[in-house]
């Protein structure tokens, strides 16, 4: 495929996402008010508890098998690296820009968590169905591509609903619980000698009870962070759906019972697939609806927005090229060019739309998130398209 043709193939999926986002913005307008704050809250719950788990479970059950899951072991590692590298760069950005404390989790999340689900499910089939695709036969490409995208979406969902969810929750909780403590001064009616003796008394008391204070403070810190981090989200609906989907896919008995038009319980898979199809448009509409609030008022600074874009569309893609090259050099990645394409693409994606869902759930940084997403996806129409085109070109 020519470079221009590859550019067009990569551009269309991104434009589809932007159009649906614009629809969400329109539905949130006051005179329309179909996606007001209450409606968005309920829609977020549907996405979290129903749509996303159904999409993850059905996609994995249909595409992941006992024969191909072993060969895909590097993908979870690759996705983890995108989160680690993005988090480090996001933390540096937070410190440089002196981001408000309640937005720390949001900024780091936008730098680390990419849209590992719906964009891949749109981009990869579009590439495979094109004539003269660089990835060979369209049928084989589509089948393998759906498996890669489904696993990427499932692993990404696990990381997001454990790491990102708890980071945004802890950041917002830390902001709400922050209080300023004023040190106590000696009473004014003390004589001069008594005031001079206070440091000595304080030293003796501290020295006598030093061990007890250390243990007490450690217990307090552990208790605080235990309360802030919601460990039950390790078993979020998406995580459970991932486990269920993989078990069905790798188990020959369960696969025969549920997957395929001739399967006795095929209606279960069909129903899950139908519900899962609502996840992508619902999340995209929420991002667009949240955008209206962000256009009115936002605390996010221009340098924060610019920094996030630089990290997502320059630093991470370049890091991804290095990671995949090293992995290929040491034989950690198989020679399948489509598989390598997906691994590279995971570093060049815009921020995960699920971040908007999480900020909506906790009602922290919603408007700031929408502004970040606005620029993120507006620039994605160019940046992601160029990176996708470049990846296909070097792998063809």
């Amino acid at each position: 495929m020519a470079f221009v043709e590859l550019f067009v193939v990569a551009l269309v999926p991104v434009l589809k996402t932007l159009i649906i986002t614009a629809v969400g913005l329109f539905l949130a307008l006051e005179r329309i008010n179909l996606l007001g704050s209450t409606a968005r809250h309920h829609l977020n719950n549907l996405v979290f508890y129903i749509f996303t788990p159904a999409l993850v479970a059905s996609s994995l059950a249909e595409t992941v098998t006992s024969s191909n899951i072993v060969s895909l072991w590097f993908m979870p590692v690759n996705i983890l690296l995108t989160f680690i590298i993005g988090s480090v760069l996001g933390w540096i950005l937070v410190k440089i820009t002196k981001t408000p404390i309640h937005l720390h989790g949001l900024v780091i999340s936008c730098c680390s968590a990419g849209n590992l689900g719906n964009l891949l499910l749109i981009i990869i089939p579009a590439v495979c169905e094109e004539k003269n695709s660089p990835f060979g036969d369209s049928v084989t490409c589509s089948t393998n591509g759906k498996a890669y995208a489904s696993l990427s979406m499932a692993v990404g969902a696990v990381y997001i609903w454990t790491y990102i969810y708890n980071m945004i929750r802890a950041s917002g909780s830390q902001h709400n619980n922050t209080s300023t403590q004023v040190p106590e001064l000696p009473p004014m009616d003390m004589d001069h000698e008594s005031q001079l003796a206070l440091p000595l008394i304080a030293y003796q008391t501290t020295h006598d009870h030093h061990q007890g204070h250390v243990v007490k403070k450690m217990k307090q810190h552990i208790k605080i962070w235990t309360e802030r981090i919601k460990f039950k989200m390790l078993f979020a609906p998406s995580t459970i759906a991932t486990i269920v989907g993989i078990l069905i896919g790798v188990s020959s008995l369960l696969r025969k019972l549920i997957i395929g038009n001739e399967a006795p319980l095929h209606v279960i898979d069909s129903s899950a697939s139908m519900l899962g199809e609502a996840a992508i448009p619902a999340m995209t509409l929420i991002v667009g609806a949240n955008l209206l609030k962000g256009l009115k008022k936002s605390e996010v600074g221009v340098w924060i927005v610019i920094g996030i874009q630089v990290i997502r569309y320059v630093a991470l893609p370049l890091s991804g090229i290095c990671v995949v090259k090293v992995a290929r050099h040491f034989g950690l990645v198989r020679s399948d060019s489509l598989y390598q394409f997906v691994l590279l693409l995971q570093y060049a994606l815009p921020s995960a739309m699920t971040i908007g869902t999480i900020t909506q759930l906790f009602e922290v940084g919603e408007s700031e998130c929408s502004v970040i997403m606005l620029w993120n996806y507006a620039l994605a129409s160019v940046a992601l398209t160029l990176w996708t085109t470049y990846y296909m070109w070097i792998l063809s």
Side-chain angles (χ1 to χ4, degrees):
M1 297 175 72
F3 192 86
V4 176
E5 293 176 351
L6 290 171
F7 183 84
V8 173
V9 171
L11 177 62
V12 172
V14 180
L15 290 180
K16 288 180 181 179
T17 303
L18 293 176
I19 291 172
I20 300 175
T21 303
V23 173
L25 172 61
F26 175 75
L27 295 177
L29 295 174
E30 291 183 3
R31 64 176 180 270
I32 306 298
N33 200 29
L34 288 178
L35 275 179
S37 59
T38 303
R40 292 200 303 273
H41 177 74
H42 292 306
L43 184 57
N44 268 303
N45 286 332
L46 285 173
V47 169
F48 176 64
Y49 289 105
I50 304 297
F51 296 156
T52 301
L55 178 62
V56 170
S58 61
S59 298
L60 285 177
E62 293 172 3
T63 57
V64 174
T65 64
S66 56
S67 59
N68 66 15
I69 192 172
V70 177
S71 61
L72 301 176
W73 71 269
F74 185 74
M75 184 174 290
V77 176
N78 190 66
I79 295 174
L80 179 61
L81 290 174
T82 68
F83 276 73
I84 293 174
I85 297 172
S87 295
V88 172
L89 295 175
W91 180 82
I92 295 173
L93 176 63
V94 161
K95 295 301 180 182
I96 292 175
T97 58
K98 298 181 180 179
T99 305
I101 191 168
H102 68 288
L103 297 179
H104 283 191
L106 172 63
V107 173
I108 296 175
S109 298
C110 289
C111 293
S112 59
N115 191 331
L116 297 164
N118 49 342
L119 276 182
L120 290 180
L121 287 171
I122 297 172
I123 293 174
I124 295 176
V127 172
C128 291
E129 291 169 6
E130 285 293 323
K131 295 181 180 179
N132 301 319
S133 169
F135 305 119
D137 176 62
S138 60
V139 177
T140 304
C141 176
S142 297
T143 302
N144 293 336
K146 188 177 181 182
Y148 301 155
S150 300
L151 182 60
S152 175
M153 176 181 61
V155 174
V158 172
Y159 290 159
I160 287 173
W161 288 108
T162 51
Y163 172 60
I164 299 298
Y165 177 95
N166 281 306
M167 180 164 56
I168 293 178
R169 179 177 181 270
S171 181
S173 175
Q174 185 178 3
H175 171 70
N176 294 332
N177 295 332
T178 299
S179 60
T180 304
Q181 296 182 351
V182 181
E184 296 183 0
L185 296 175
M188 295 301 296
D189 57 352
M190 283 188 178
D191 57 31
H192 182 67
E193 293 182 359
S194 298
Q195 291 187 26
L196 291 176
L198 282 176
L200 179 59
I201 297 172
Y203 172 79
Q204 291 175 342
T205 304
T206 303
H207 180 73
D208 292 340
H209 301 282
H210 178 71
Q211 294 296 329
H213 283 302
V214 171
V215 174
K216 185 177 180 181
K217 286 185 177 181
M218 288 179 62
K219 289 181 178 179
Q220 288 176 346
H221 284 297
I222 293 172
K223 183 180 180 181
I224 290 172
W225 282 105
T226 302
E227 291 174 351
R228 286 178 184 170
I229 299 176
K230 206 170 183 178
F231 286 103
K232 72 177 184 179
M233 291 310 299
L234 295 173
F235 301 97
S238 296
T239 307
I240 297 173
T242 300
I243 297 172
V244 172
I246 292 176
L247 287 177
I248 294 174
V250 300
S251 173
S252 58
L253 176 61
L254 293 176
R255 174 173 281 276
K256 290 178 181 178
L257 287 174
I258 299 175
I259 307 302
N261 294 329
E262 304 299 326
L265 302 178
H266 175 62
V267 66
I268 297 177
D269 179 54
S270 299
S271 300
S273 298
M274 187 179 298
L275 285 172
E277 289 174 357
I280 295 173
M283 284 190 292
T284 312
L285 287 173
I286 290 170
V287 171
N290 286 337
L291 178 61
L292 180 63
K293 185 176 180 180
L295 292 176
K296 294 179 179 178
K297 180 181 179 182
S298 175
E299 297 179 17
V300 65
V302 62
W303 289 112
I304 296 176
V305 175
I306 293 173
I308 292 173
Q309 312 315 315
V310 172
I311 290 172
R312 287 234 63 95
Y313 295 131
V314 179
L316 275 173
L318 292 176
S319 301
I321 293 175
C322 297
V323 170
V324 174
K325 278 189 175 182
V326 171
R328 186 170 54 186
H329 175 75
F330 288 101
L332 303 176
V333 177
R334 61 190 196 181
S335 59
D336 182 3
S337 59
L338 178 62
Y339 182 53
Q340 294 179 23
F341 172 70
V342 174
L343 294 178
L344 288 168
L345 202 58
Q346 288 169 344
Y347 287 88
L349 297 167
S351 301
M353 290 184 177
T354 316
I355 297 173
T357 304
I358 297 173
T359 59
Q360 184 76 24
L361 289 173
F362 292 121
E363 298 181 351
V364 55
E366 300 166 77
S367 59
E368 290 78 12
C369 180
S370 63
V371 171
I372 292 171
M373 291 296 177
L374 166 66
W375 290 104
N376 212 236
Y377 280 83
L379 292 177
S381 59
V382 177
L384 177 58
T385 304
L386 288 174
W387 281 114
T388 302
T389 307
Y390 178 69
Y391 293 153
M392 289 190 289
W393 182 65
I394 62 175
L395 293 172
S396 59

